[in-house]
Amino acid sequence: GAGVSQTPSNKVTEKGKYVELRCDPISGHTALYWYRQSLGQGPEFLIYFQGTGAADDSGLPNDRFFAVRPEGSVSTLKIQRTERGDSAMYLCASSLTSASTDTQYFGPGTRLTVL
Amino acid sequence: RKEVEQDPGPFNVPEGATVAFNCTYSNSASQSFFWYRQDCRKEPKLLMSVYSSGNEDGRFTAQLNRASQYISLLIRDSKLSDSATYLCVVRGNNRKLIWGLGTSLAVNP
């Protein structure tokens, strides 16, 4: 079946602009996670949703970052007033539930470059 | 101190070699443990979960030592296709995955 998909695969923007990154989880998965990975680093947790609600947003670096999942399926990560330091690979993952033993399946990521 | 620590390598080994990666974690309340594999510029993919009893999947063996807060991955008879970064991942009851920096492996012909 279809895996997690993310669009766009690459996004180049200018400092100060607004960007939206989209994630389509595996159908039926209730938990959705966003991570950010900088070059040479492991992924860093940003936020996770259980259904429509953000269950833990403690990883969002500041108030320029916001994510929504209005219908409990597709999620959008929104970054306002982008900065060069926001350049990274943004990874989305989904799992059947948020149980600690459930496998998280990752999408191919969106590579964001802020010039 | 990072929550999950790994030797970043790189490990350069010949085909057929046995290679071992180690990882330590700081939170004794961690509940689940995993090894992920990540190829260059690709997303991470689950290689295997790690259990206290140890688990094996073909050429790969993973081990967890809760007392020492230590996780290992052993790859036997390494193949060229095993070249990748191996990420040690720990999960607590807060559902977040905490990742190590990854260990880079290059298997040479």
Side-chain angles (χ1 to χ4, degrees):
Chain A
V4 178
S5 63
Q6 291 184 247
T7 54
S9 54
N10 279 285
K11 176 70 178 178
V12 180
T13 191
E14 292 180 343
K15 182 173 177 294
K17 299 288 189 185
Y18 168 82
V19 296
E20 289 190 353
L21 312 179
R22 176 187 166 109
C23 173
D24 260 290
I26 293 172
S27 177
H29 279 195
T30 63
L32 184 147
Y33 305 79
W34 283 100
Y35 296 87
R36 177 169 73 172
Q37 186 174 24
S38 300
L39 203 60
Q41 305 290 317
E44 173 191 23
F45 170 81
L46 295 177
I47 184 172
Y48 101 87
F49 291 87
Q50 180 57 48
T52 59
D56 184 344
D57 64 357
S58 61
L60 295 178
N62 51 59
D63 62 6
R64 295 187 297 105
F65 288 74
F66 190 70
V68 295
R69 194 186 185 200
E71 297 177 0
S73 178
V74 171
S75 176
T76 305
L77 178 67
K78 309 181 181 197
I79 311 174
Q80 298 178 318
R81 304 184 304 281
T82 51
E83 299 177 357
R84 292 197 179 87
D86 298 335
S87 297
M89 174 74 89
Y90 288 81
L91 294 162
C92 175
S94 71
S95 62
L96 190 60
T97 72
S98 60
S100 62
T101 51
D102 275 4
T103 299
Q104 294 185 18
Y105 297 91
F106 282 80
T110 293
R111 185 167 296 280
L112 175 66
T113 304
V114 182
L115 301 176
Chain B
R1 183 188 171 194
K2 287 189 176 296
E3 288 190 66
V4 178
E5 297 208 53
Q6 294 181 249
D7 179 350
F11 284 61
N12 285 283
V13 303
E15 269 188 289
T18 295
V19 60
F21 304 138
N22 302 318
C23 166
T24 57
Y25 61 96
S26 60
N27 186 351
S28 60
S30 300
Q31 296 187 348
S32 306
F33 309 88
F34 310 92
W35 283 101
Y36 274 75
R37 171 195 168 127
Q38 188 171 28
D39 292 289
C40 189
R41 301 181 77 84
K42 299 284 191 182
E43 73 275 22
K45 293 189 176 174
L46 180 66
L47 181 65
M48 56 201 308
S49 301
V50 189
Y51 306 110
S52 296
S53 54
N55 47 308
E56 187 174 313
D57 182 2
R59 297 181 294 108
F60 299 83
T61 301
Q63 198 79 40
L64 165 66
N65 184 322
R66 283 190 183 269
S68 302
Q69 294 179 205
Y70 168 98
I71 305 159
S72 66
L73 176 68
L74 184 76
I75 306 175
R76 289 181 299 279
D77 188 23
S78 51
K79 312 290 184 192
L80 296 176
S81 57
D82 294 334
S83 298
T85 296
Y86 291 83
L87 294 146
C88 175
V89 189
V90 169
R91 191 175 190 184
N93 58 6
N94 60 10
R95 313 294 189 245
K96 293 187 286 192
L97 294 182
I98 308 298
W99 301 72
L101 292 181
T103 299
S104 175
L105 171 66
V107 181
N108 305 305

